[in-house]
Structure formats: C-alpha cells, structure tokens
Amino acid sequence: MTVTQNTKTLEEARHMAEVRKDEFYDYLRLESVSTEHKQIPETVAYVKDLIEQTGGEVKVLDDLGGHPVIYGYFPASSSGNSDRTLLFYNHYDVQPADPLDEWHTEPFEPTVRDNTLYARGVSDNKANFMARLNALSILKESNDGFPCNVKFLLEGEEEIGSPNLGLYIEKYADLFQADACIWEAGSKDKYENYIVSAGMKGIAYFDLEVTTAAIDIHSSIAAIADNPAWRLIHALSSMKNEKNEIVVEGFYDGIAPLSKKDKEAAANQPFKAEEVKAQYGLTGKFITEGTDVTPAEALAYSPTMTVCGFSSGYTGPGIKTVLPKNAKAKLDCRLVPGQNPKHVRDSLRQHLDDHGYGDISLTMVAAEGAQRTSLEDPFIETVVNSAKKVYGDENPVIVSPSMAGTGPSELFEKYLHLPIAGVGAGWAYSGAHAPNENIRLADFYQNIAHMVELIKVFGVEKN
Amino acid sequence: MTVTQNTKTLEEARHMAEVRKDEFYDYLRLESVSTEHKQIPETVAYVKDLIEQTGGEVKVLDDLGGHPVIYGYFPASSSGNSDRTLLFYNHYDVQPADPLDEWHTEPFEPTVRDNTLYARGVSDNKANFMARLNALSILKESNDGFPCNVKFLLEGEEEIGSPNLGLYIEKYADLFQADACIWEAGSKDKYENYIVSAGMKGIAYFDLEVTTAAIDIHSSIAAIADNPAWRLIHALSSMKNEKNEIVVEGFYDGIAPLSKKDKEAAANQPFKAEEVKAQYGLTGKFITEGTDVTPAEALAYSPTMTVCGFSSGYTGPGIKTVLPKNAKAKLDCRLVPGQNPKHVRDSLRQHLDDHGYGDISLTMVAAEGAQRTSLEDPFIETVVNSAKKVYGDENPVIVSPSMAGTGPSELFEKYLHLPIAGVGAGWAYSGAHAPNENIRLADFYQNIAHMVELIKVFGVEKN
C-alpha cells in the first residue's frame, strides 16, 4: 500500500516543539531518579501542570503506596468519536545518571549538539510523553479538535520494576479503560527502520546458592567433602542440556504455538546474521543452527535460560588449592506469553528437589510476565499505517513482534484487555540507561507527527 | 612391640638445642623468601657454614640455574657402617610472611612465648634441618661418632614448586645416591600422634577458559548467541558426574590396586568423621558414602578433581541481565602414584575435544607426580621403631600412607630409587604458610632425639 506522506503535519510538529520547548527542557531538568526517590513530588506536580496546560484533566493517585500514578484525560471534541479511547502509557522517572564522568555535558541540563538533544531520560521516556502532549496541542488548535478520547497513565517506578503499578491498574481499571494503548517507548533501528513493537518478553530472574561448608577448605579434603561448585554445575546442567534445550518439566507450560502471521513477522525482521555476529564479536554459530527455529524467531518468540553470572572459590591469578565453601549463580529466564513467572519458579524448585538439589536455594529476584499483542489485531495496522504517513520510504515501518526489553505491559493486558503497540522518538544509539542519552530532534518531530496522524486515524475507526 | 623410651637422648637433644640456639635463630632471621629471591646468597653461605660447623663437607651446586642446591656429606665414622647412607631432604627457602599485620611478633625475629617458637619458616622447614644438624652434633660428640653416612640435599625453590630440582637430581644422582631419604617436614596431628608419612599425592592444576564474544551482551540475545558459562558448565559436567565419578577416559591410567597393607594403614588413621565435619562445618555427607571406599582410604589413595574456582559474568548483588563474554574455571586434580600429570592433561584435552569443547582452553599451571613408599619397605619400620624410642605412649607413632600436601618426592624416587619417609618437629597448629608460624620447643627436642635414634638404628641395619 502506498501512503502519501503528510508534510504539513511534520511542519506543525516542528512548530509545536519549538513553542513548547521550554516546558520540555524544564521537564528534563527534573532529576526524577526513582531508585533514589529524587524530586518525585516536584515531578508529579510538573506533569500535572503539563497535562493541564495541554487542556487535559488530571488525577494524582497515591492511595496504594509507591510513587504516585498520574491519570490524564482529554475527552473527544464534539465533532470527534467519544466511543473510542486511546491510552498512552508513560513514566516520569528516569535511571540514575552515573557514571557521571562519561557524560560530555550535564545529564540534567538538556543540551543540543548536531541537532541531537542530550539529557538523562530524554529517550526513556520524557521525549515520548512530550511528543504525545505536543500532538494533542496540535490537534487542539486544529479545526476538529480531539478526534477521540485520549487518556494517560504515567507511573514513577518503571525504572525500578513497577512494583506497585499492578495494584493501581487493578483498582482503577475503569478509570483507565481504553480501546488500545501506545507504549512508553520505541525507536528506529540501526537501519533507520521505524519500529512498531507488538510485545515484549517477560522475565524470571533467579539467584541460586549452595553452601556445603562453613569455611573454604584445603582442596586435599575434596577426596571426602562435597564441593558446592560441582553441585551447582551439575544442578544447572540438569536444567538445560548441551543442545541448549531447557529440560525443566513445566517450564514450557502454557506457551501457544506460533501462528503463520507470527512466523511471517519474524521473517520480515531486518535481521542480518553476519552483522549481529560482528557487532558482538561472536565466535561460534547461533544456537538455533540445526533446529527448526530461525534466529529471528528465537529472538522474538523463544524463552531462554541464561547463566548471567557464576562465582565460586578462588578466581584470581595463579594457583589456590581451595575447596570452596559455597557457589552462586544468577539465572535469567526470558519468558513468552503463556508462561507465568511463579509457575516457572515452582517448576525450577521442583526440578532441583527431584534431582537431589534440595540444598540449593532458589530466589526469584525479578518477575514480569510476557505480553504480545496479536499481529492480527487491527490496532497494529492502525499504528503502522498512521506511521507510514509520516515516515515514508526513508524509514520503512516494521512490526517487531516482541522487543528485547521487558516491562509491565502484561498488567495492561490483564486488567485493561487492550492491544498495545510501542513507538517512540528514539534511534538505535539513543543510549537509554547509558551516559549521553539522547534523541535526534528530527526523530522527535516525526514522532509528534506520527502521534497526530495516529489519533486522527484512531478517532475515525469503529469499535 | 613395647619400646623403651630413651630419656638420655632427649636430655642430650635439649642440651644441644641450647648450645646451637644462636646459630638456629640467626638462620631464622634470614629472610629467604624464594618467590621474592630474597637473601638467597646469604642463606646459601649460612647453610654451608652450618653444615661445616657440624663437621660435614659441602658442595654448592648452581650450574643448572635457579637458586643453588646444597650438597652436605658426613661420612660414617671408622666404627660406623660406611655401606649405609641416609639422605636428608630440606629446603632453605620460606614462604612470604604476609599478611604482616596478623603476626603478633616480627616474622623474621624468632620469639619464644609459652615454650613455643614463632618465626616464618620455623616449621616449614628450618627447625627440621636444624634438628637434623643437632642430632649429628650429638652423634659426633658420642663415643661412636656417625653410625652411617649421612647426606643432605637442600634446595631453595621448594616454596615455588621446585622448578629446577629435577635437573639437579638427575645430573647429580650419583652424588646424592643413598639408601633411604627423610623428607623435609612432618608433624604431630591434633591428637598428638607423631606422624610418619610414607608419601604424598601429586597435583595437576588447570586453568580452563572459554570466550564466545568480544563483549558482554544484553541477555535478550541469549535466544541466539551461545553462552560461555553454559559451555563451561556442560564441559565440566561431562568430566565428573553427579556421583562424583571422574569420567575422563585415561584419567585413572597407571594406578595400581591397593594392597592389604595399604587398606590396613588407612584403617589405622585416627580419622574421626564427626570431628572432621565439625572442623569445616560440612553440611552434607561424605562423598565416599555409598561407595566401597572409606573416607580415610579416599584421603590417602583417591585421586580428585576439584573445581577450586569458577567465574563468569555478573556476580554482584541484585540483577544484571547480561550474557557473559567468557567463563573461567580452576581445576585441581590430586594424583596418586602411577598417574602422570602430562598424561592427565592430555586426557582432559582429548575429552574436551571429543565432547565438542575444542574452544575451551586448558592450561596446566602446576604439575607434580605422586610418590608413595611401599608400606612393606623396611625403612618405614626403621623410622617408626626409632620414633617409638622417643615418643612413647603419649605420642603414638602412626604411619600416614599419603600426606595432604604435594612436593617433589617423585623426583627422588625417579632418580635415586629410594624409600622416603617424612617426619618433623611440627604440630597440628604450626601454621605453615600462615601468620604466626611456630613450633613447640618440646616437639623440637623430641625430633632431634628421634633423628639421633634413627641414624643409630639405620647405621646398624644391613643393606
């Protein structure tokens, strides 16, 4: 389908970004680092102001603990479609800025160099929130006003794992009820494709530990005393075999088979094996080789079990003849829709017990379910087609069935029952969570324009 | 057999220790730390003097590199047995003294507190050398003089793995030729038994490493990229199974079955399972449980394969979702007679290659063969019976078929073809290699007396 690029919207986006630039920059100046609980009340007040300045209503919800959740509401204009509601999810918290000495400019003083805007939290995800507000300002000034209802949900704990968000969404499900949701972030990839993400994997992250002695022991005693490193090595080996098959009973429970559309979407990913190998300096073959799963399918749809860390005994240079007293491992399981983190934990626990490793402790230190919007859902097409009006041929629009990262999108699906798509103003080198986080201003303008086009299209669609 | 304690010899030992105390203390003041090449020439000169002062001849051998090897010779007196030669092995080097702040007194200033003498190197093994010289002084002053030929071999690189000793023993095998050898060190155990050790395990210590990427990678990529931690875990698992059986083909090559005498010697060890478990705070059963090998047999006769260290990826607190770029392990194999470190290395390499782990590097960083003198050898009985004349009922004399430590005794067996037994002036808490290394003076006197009795008995025996 050929879509005509709407250059007028892009002009309006540029203009509105300039008009609201000071508001945006002041937002970036707020050091809303959630893990340090910094400037949270100030940031909540500021977000409330921003929404009200854009013409919306605001509720600050703080009755369930944690940093407040902010509700914003922009009802459809009289000429709009009041039966349709689009929900934007954003967060007002950011990652810590350290290591500070790697920043070229102050992380909380927005700075433009080479048409690129640098600030902590700009790509993740303050620019996306601002782009959405700018889009609403453009629509508000237009003849037709708001083509549909628009709601916002902003939380302040996304960067610390959204520990309280589920409580708020469950209690306020009616308030946040909508027909579809645009996720907090998104970006172009390194080939300048504009990515619409339809889901994300979940995670169950475990600490494993086994202690077999009170002290490190001379290794001559290994002739009689058990070795915690060997125990943990054998236990892990029993969970995933040499062919990289996870053999824990129950681990795969609940996973639905892939649809034809799922496989097509994976095949459409701009995945270049040699480039990926070069990027990371991989020395071996992909572990998908010899299986009937392609690398792109595995990235999108395969659950994983990864040893992120293993430590035991003496690991310095030279020789130390020690029998370690304990051994620890960190295990990261990426989950797909249907898998439940708690069930995965229970399955691992049962597996360890069944294999004689009852003494190995297993602690789940992070848990988020996976979420994937069906690629058949018309909302995905709406987001894609509205994007094409802005991005044109230079930036092919590509649907990613599942992003690398994780987030609380499963909660939205669970309590609000709506399709979710992620788009944003980032690019491949935005450096979210890293020093010199940035967005390119051109991407910001395009993203504003996309939000205008999306809301317009969404408003005229039927439920 | 009841043996009468020779209290006169013990009196002579006390006296001679007092006479030669200053010489001993000056020896302890020499900071002969081999790994730092400290005061080596001074110590060599001092040892030469000590031997000459005792009436011996000395050759300093330094033509093959490394710290000099010292040859000492005391020919049998005219009334003695010039057909019999006893060789004493000692080393004049010591371990570094650090951590210095844990010493209660200066490590290189011998200090007596509570009839215990503290100094670096005193138990390992300067006191033993001095005890042997004192015994010779006692014999020299006696009516009969030296009952047999006595030789010394002192090296200065024992604490750094005796890298050059094999060259010297091979070249100077005729010079050092003897009928039996007393090893450098020994001690009472914690039950105050006086231990005669008849051997020691060997060692083959390996560094294993595998690298699969140039950088640490976001763990979402684990769906396609191989994981070095998993590779090393699987490789190690393939080498030793969950029952603690080493399943590397060739590992056990060359090991002779145990004799009845071997099994008896193990059964005679003062091994108390509950005490050992309490000492180390062991939480589990001994790994010998359910096998036909007793713990004491395993300690003496079983080769081991011990993971001394394992490190990969992120091992700090909390969560890091990383796919590590590499993984490392340290593997300590204790060997028994018949096993050859190089053959063990080749077997491990072959095993890794055969199991698809050709990319895992294997570096042998320490290698020493095992040595065990047959418990049927009459020299063991000579050492035991001469000890009984000194130690009496308070200190039962027990033969340990194989010590926990390793040393270059295999070289003596290989080039000099003689039985070896280890005895010394240490006790269970001498702290060799640790701060506040010490010997009890009473043990020192007893050990001098034992050396007197041993040389006397050895001299009258026939070849």
Side-chain angles (χ1 to χ4, degrees), chain B residues 113-130:
Chain B
R113 286 194 308 277
D114 296 332
N115 296 310
T116 301
L117 172 59
Y118 293 84
R120 165 52 82 227
V122 66
S123 83
D124 181 16
N125 71 132
K126 286 178 172 175
N128 299 330
F129 175 54
M130 202 64 212

Side-chain angles (χ1 to χ4, degrees), chain A residues 67-240:
Chain A
H67 298 161
V69 168
I70 303 171
Y71 166 79
Y73 182 50
F74 299 81
S77 306
S78 53
S79 64
N81 180 353
S82 63
D83 287 343
R84 295 276 286 172
T85 305
L86 183 63
L87 175 66
F88 287 112
Y89 166 63
N90 284 94
H91 56 93
Y92 58 81
D93 64 324
V94 301
Q95 281 278 320
D98 54 278
L100 288 176
D101 56 1
E102 292 185 22
W103 283 82
H104 299 131
T105 53
E106 290 298 312
F108 292 103
E109 183 49 52
T111 310
V112 174
R113 286 195 306 280
D114 296 333
N115 296 309
T116 301
L117 173 59
Y118 293 85
R120 166 51 83 226
V122 66
S123 83
D124 180 17
N125 69 132
K126 286 178 171 174
N128 299 330
F129 175 55
M130 203 64 212
R132 292 158 195 193
L133 291 182
N134 282 343
L136 288 167
S137 290
I138 292 167
L139 290 165
K140 191 182 165 201
E141 287 185 5
S142 71
N143 292 336
D144 297 329
F146 300 136
C148 62
N149 302 316
V150 171
K151 291 179 181 175
F152 278 90
L153 186 161
L154 287 103
E155 67 155 323
E157 301 183 324
E158 198 269 349
E159 298 294 6
I160 53 173
S162 306
N164 298 292
L165 183 63
L167 298 173
Y168 284 97
I169 302 190
E170 183 175 14
K171 176 168 178 182
Y172 295 102
D174 289 343
L175 189 65
F176 288 113
Q177 196 52 60
D179 299 297
C181 175
I182 291 290
W183 202 243
E184 47 116 359
S187 69
K188 291 177 180 164
D189 68 12
K190 63 179 173 174
Y191 311 109
E192 298 291 352
N193 299 308
Y194 182 67
I195 303 300
V196 175
S197 66
M200 46 186 62
K201 285 186 180 173
I203 191 169
Y205 195 103
F206 299 96
D207 280 344
L208 289 91
E209 183 167 0
V210 58
T211 298
T212 56
I215 52 171
D216 286 349
I217 304 173
H218 191 272
S219 65
S220 59
I221 306 299
I224 56 170
D226 212 346
N227 182 325
W230 276 121
R231 285 190 72 68
L232 196 49
I233 285 166
H234 285 133
L236 289 166
S237 269
S238 75
M239 292 159 64
K240 184 170 161 177

